[in-house]
Amino acid sequence: MKLLKWLLGIIFALVLVLGSTALWLRYEFQRVQHTPLDETTWDKVSVESLARVNEETNACDQLYPNKKAWFGDLHVHTAASYDATSFGVTTSVDEAYAFARGTPLRIKLMQDSPEDQPPALQIRAPLDFMAVTDHAESLGETRLCYTDEAVAYDTLVCRLYRGDIRIPAEARLQSLFRLASFAIFGQDRSARVCGYDGEICRRTAESLWRDNQRSTEAWHDSSVDCQFTTFHAYEYTLAESAANLHRNVIFGTSTVPQSPLSAKDAPEPEELLKWLDTVCLSGNENCDVIAIPHNSNWSSGRMWFPYSNRDIPIEEQRALAHLRARTEPLAEIMQIKGDSECRNNIGSVIGPTDDLCNFEKLRPANETIPDCGETFGSGGMMLKGCTSRYSFVRYALSAGLREEQRLGVNPFKLGIIASTDTHIGASTAEAETDYRGSHGNDRNIQDRLLSKVEVPGDIATGSPVRFNPGGLAGIYATQNTRRDLFKAMRRRETFGTSGPRIAPRFFAGWNMDADLCTNKNVVELGYRQGVPMGSDLPVAPADARGGPVFVASASRDPAEDSNPLQRIQIIKGWVDQLGNTHQAVFDIAGAEPGAAQVDRNTCKVSGRGFSELCGVWQDPEFDPKLPAVYYTRVLENPTCRWSHVACLSLPEAERPASCSDPELPWQIQERAWTSPVWYHPTP
């Protein structure tokens, strides 16, 4: 009997402890439940400038009438971003701007001891422009958890986020558990950290946003030297069913909303776009803004799912299409988490296989993936689920043609850029041979070469070895000022590269000279006889000689050790009269594939290559009755991929499994993509 009483007592005590623990955890992880966007509050957000200088500048000392290619990065994260800090990153906004201008940066992590000597990075050549785009989500939470006097400091969530409490797991997973401590709240907030209405976190986020603005203005060169242009910006980070719907919000002036609207307050992209339109574009004559979607390759077809496919009234479809066209003129085609141009083996795309679509894929290029068809999927951020043509820029451009026929407006009339999405504050897109990772937790070479890392809570799947150094944004403008660069972004006279500073040009017209490439004034004549990238072809004149004429040229990266160019291609997209999506790829200048090689053992490049290329081309399959979209892709000769360079640097016995993975490419072809030119049949 005594034994029974003793056992019952133990059981009761265990139940009491477990019950108390459950209640305590429930208390510590209380949520501020998401409520629908309060438009009456958000539409009254102050829109102003913290700058103390005149927004307008005098003309720069250097003007370029035929426009110059300016290179920059519109996607950079610092320690203000909750995911960067969870990986231990300490880089400030000022340090990120300083790095872009040539100051070396040590990749210092919070867990480093005073004796550690973190690796140092230095950009090869200063950038011309940049935006720091820290996540609006958990912006306030991150600051509060590191503020000793904050009420939130000693909460369980903050202690987990700082790493004061370590989960029983290997060291390399600790940063992922730290990330999960906030990510598990999804679109909600922690009531213990943010207060029961979430207001503490919103107010703290506003304070950090003001700090970002002050740094952005401090680094902006408004003198006639025009050495460096900065843009006020942040990232809107929405995931729906583990599918990516992120946008970078880029402002054209220093006049900006003084509270950044996040996905926690606007859980639909269109809510963000409506708010930007209301408070900025329509609400303040000094405010201008665009939103740039990125990582559509992770979106499970949701990023550019057509409005005409949605079960909503046609008036609403048309209104949303107009909103999208007004606020999203650009797309980010490439960054550290892969290429979003195209993918092979999507059944709903008609046309020959494009082997160059296998470039920098997070899911292996030979993986058999079902086609989502005319639906969207889920799990893209987990590298799971179906794949969709609406996840890739090339097919979104064609979908826009179809939407225009149905709705009278093209919501996917997208210019092209690329960027890094670095989470260490360092825009090192050109560092293929000295890549040091992008997230802090991949600073060590063995961690960079990991094939797969699961983020706890089924939030995402990382593949560090399939990440890459990212890309760069290119803009054609007469001078390096905020006003001129932003106007160029609005008119889509932009391009992206996978890292090298390749400068592509693309013009189209009806009667352009067939020998234009032999003329030293090819650029001037291109503007005079045609329209540049990002434009619509005008109506064909009566004396048009057949279909439109395209002129594409490119110059290699000017660095002494840069790789030569191989060829220029024109990619065409269209939708036939039955609604089928088509693609075609045409080589128009340069050498054939195989004219240059790279040695697998030494990474030495040999064979034919070019410093400059130019080609004049007419579409042999032109159908004047069908709308079409054309853009160019410029390719360098093949080189070793960063992962292969890293593997070769290790003794064979220390090389991880990824070094012998036959599905992981060992060589790549760096490239540039221009914004498109659109053809519309004469009404």
Side-chain angles (χ1 to χ4, degrees), residues 137-326:
E137 296 70 23
S138 298
L139 188 61
E141 289 88 322
T142 301
R143 171 63 65 86
L144 288 167
C145 282
Y146 279 93
T147 303
D148 292 356
E149 60 271 20
V151 175
Y153 186 82
D154 289 322
T155 62
L156 177 61
V157 172
C158 282
R159 292 168 68 197
L160 286 168
Y161 179 68
R162 290 193 305 271
D164 297 349
I165 299 176
R166 293 174 65 85
I167 304 298
E170 59 180 304
R172 69 174 54 169
L173 293 179
Q174 294 302 319
S175 60
L176 298 177
F177 283 109
R178 293 176 60 195
L179 172 63
S181 65
F182 272 134
I184 59 171
F185 286 95
Q187 293 175 355
D188 298 327
R189 288 186 168 91
S190 164
R192 293 280 288 127
V193 175
C194 300
Y196 291 101
D197 58 359
E199 196 63 20
I200 298 172
C201 287
R202 290 193 187 93
R203 293 287 170 257
T204 306
E206 289 173 357
S207 176
L208 266 81
W209 176 226
R210 288 192 292 273
D211 290 344
N212 182 304
Q213 291 173 59
R214 294 185 186 100
S215 292
T216 298
E217 280 305 312
W219 283 94
H220 180 62
D221 183 2
S222 56
S223 74
V224 295
D225 294 333
C226 300
Q227 292 292 308
F228 189 48
T229 295
T230 62
F231 290 98
H232 298 277
Y234 71 89
E235 181 174 330
Y236 165 90
T237 313
L238 175 68
E240 183 68 38
S241 300
N244 175 84
L245 289 166
H246 301 185
R247 269 83 172 163
N248 287 319
V249 179
I250 313 292
F251 293 95
T253 70
S254 63
T255 300
V256 303
Q258 289 302 306
S259 187
L261 183 66
S262 78
K264 292 183 182 293
D265 296 293
E268 295 285 342
E270 287 77 9
E271 290 183 332
L272 169 73
L273 302 183
K274 287 178 183 176
W275 179 74
L276 293 173
D277 189 30
T278 299
V279 303
C280 182
L281 296 179
S282 302
N284 190 302
E285 62 180 6
N286 296 316
C287 185
D288 202 357
V289 66
I290 60 174
I292 305 177
H294 68 83
N295 276 121
S296 59
N297 58 332
W298 260 7
S299 73
S300 304
R302 294 169 185 254
M303 187 68 82
W304 289 300
F305 193 70
Y307 289 112
S308 61
N309 279 14
R310 306 186 191 192
D311 187 20
I312 54 178
I314 191 165
E315 294 82 5
E316 186 177 351
Q317 294 177 23
R318 193 170 288 121
L320 291 173
H322 276 289
L323 174 69
R324 196 79 171 261
R326 197 160 55 247

Side-chain angles (χ1 to χ4, degrees), residues 283-437:
N284 190 302
E285 62 180 6
N286 296 316
C287 185
D288 202 357
V289 66
I290 60 174
I292 305 177
H294 68 83
N295 276 121
S296 59
N297 58 332
W298 260 7
S299 73
S300 304
R302 294 169 185 254
M303 187 68 82
W304 289 300
F305 193 70
Y307 289 112
S308 61
N309 279 14
R310 306 186 191 192
D311 187 20
I312 54 178
I314 191 165
E315 294 82 5
E316 186 177 351
Q317 294 177 23
R318 193 170 288 121
L320 291 173
H322 276 289
L323 174 69
R324 196 79 171 261
R326 197 160 55 247
T327 52
E328 290 191 349
L330 301 177
E332 186 181 286
I333 200 169
M334 163 82 181
Q335 56 120 273
I336 60 172
K337 299 186 189 79
D339 159 84
S340 296
E341 180 193 3
C342 51
R343 188 177 181 101
N344 287 316
N345 302 316
I346 298 179
S348 54
V349 176
I350 300 172
T353 298
D354 178 1
D355 290 337
L356 291 161
C357 284
N358 295 339
F359 180 67
E360 292 299 341
K361 291 293 176 280
L362 293 185
R363 298 178 76 167
N366 60 357
E367 181 181 353
T368 301
I369 309 173
D371 185 353
C372 299
E374 295 306 314
T375 62
F376 52 74
S378 60
M381 298 175 74
M382 299 295 298
L383 308 184
K384 296 177 181 177
C386 59
T387 191
S388 169
R389 67 184 187 276
Y390 301 128
S391 291
F392 297 94
V393 175
R394 177 182 295 181
Y395 315 124
L397 293 170
S398 295
L401 298 175
R402 190 180 184 205
E403 289 292 88
E404 189 164 18
Q405 290 176 313
R406 291 177 169 187
L407 303 176
V409 58
N410 184 348
F412 311 136
K413 195 168 185 179
L414 302 166
I416 289 174
I417 64 160
S419 282
T420 61
D421 192 17
T422 175
H423 279 63
I424 58 174
S427 301
T428 54
E430 77 272 10
E432 201 77 30
T433 57
D434 191 32
Y435 176 55
R436 298 301 182 93

